[in-house]
Amino acid sequence: MAYYRSLYFSENPNDFHSQVKINSTTGSELVTTSEAKDFIRVDTSADDTIIGEMITEARIWVENYISKDLVAKTRTYYTPFQKERFVLPFAPVASITSVTVDGTAATYEVKGLDNEIVELNELPAKEVQVAYTTAGLDDSLLKQAVLRLVSTFYDNRAEFVVGQQVNEVSISVKNILSGYKTMFI
């Protein structure tokens, strides 16, 4: 299943902006159903399917929040006009399969701590498309954030609350993730 995400938004529907597509997920979840059940203190198998789905939902939420992949994926990045170097979203980048500029294979240099910066040799370019694979991240704090989100999702399966303020995600999860979040300066 392909998943598209526009990286920039505009009021003008004729503006074209960068997009990223997930071609496939090649890695496995950071948290197992058994680990999540232990964390949220569930001792029956009746909810295994929903807990598994919540693990995926929590992982995707974390990936979008920090703009990095927890699970390895193959992706395609498209940008309509490029005058200089650009950053591939959802690093760390394990490898770049291809880079095309205006439909033709391009030469490029890869830079950055996570191999996420691409500097093209053919500029300016009207259309750039990059096929790449991300490595995914494996860290005990990221695992803890996913577990806490699964717990929140499990405890709040029904979003019906009267007379209370509800936070979608706990401050502790955001605090854990703040050090991983991609900073755009």
Side-chain angles (χ1 to χ4, degrees):
M1 173 192 213
Y3 169 73
Y4 293 89
R5 179 176 175 200
S6 281
L7 299 177
Y8 308 101
F9 299 97
S10 172
E11 301 274 330
N12 184 350
N14 295 321
D15 285 348
F16 297 101
H17 298 284
S18 300
Q19 296 177 322
V20 64
K21 172 183 157 184
I22 298 172
N23 301 316
S24 66
T25 301
T26 57
S28 57
E29 293 294 348
L30 201 59
V31 172
T32 66
T33 302
S34 176
E35 290 169 326
K37 286 172 60 177
D38 287 345
F39 187 82
I40 59 179
R41 298 185 180 113
V42 172
D43 56 5
T44 177
S45 61
D47 289 343
D48 282 5
T49 301
I50 193 166
I51 291 170
E53 291 168 354
M54 289 176 178
I55 291 168
T56 302
E57 178 184 3
R59 188 246 315 146
I60 290 170
W61 190 95
V62 169
E63 288 176 336
N64 287 329
Y65 187 77
I66 66 174
S67 298
K68 295 179 182 173
D69 280 342
L70 300 186
V71 174
K73 296 178 187 64
T74 58
R75 292 181 172 270
T76 301
Y77 175 72
Y78 169 81
T79 186
F81 185 76
Q82 210 55 52
K83 288 186 177 180
E84 53 192 66
R85 68 174 67 177
F86 57 91
V87 176
L88 292 173
F90 296 96
V93 176
S95 64
I96 295 177
T97 309
S98 68
V99 177
T100 59
V101 172
D102 302 329
T104 305
T107 57
Y108 58 93
E109 289 182 48
V110 178
K111 301 179 180 209
L113 298 175
D114 288 327
N115 297 321
E116 76 281 16
I117 300 171
V118 177
E119 194 170 276
L120 296 173
N121 295 332
E122 292 86 7
L123 291 174
K126 289 182 184 175
E127 291 186 2
V128 177
Q129 189 165 317
V130 181
Y132 65 104
T133 302
T134 59
L137 298 170
D138 186 3
D139 183 286
S140 61
L141 287 176
L142 292 171
K143 190 173 187 174
Q144 187 64 217
V146 170
L147 285 168
R148 289 180 187 200
L149 278 173
V150 170
S151 176
T152 299
F153 295 160
Y154 188 79
D155 290 343
N156 299 292
R157 291 180 298 258
E159 295 182 26
F160 181 71
V161 177
V162 177
Q164 294 180 1
Q165 182 178 357
V166 177
N167 291 328
E168 179 184 330
V169 175
S170 73
I171 293 171
S172 66
V173 170
K174 288 185 177 182
N175 286 340
I176 289 170
L177 298 175
S178 66
Y180 296 93
K181 199 165 179 161
T182 299
M183 302 297 288
F184 297 99
I185 301 172

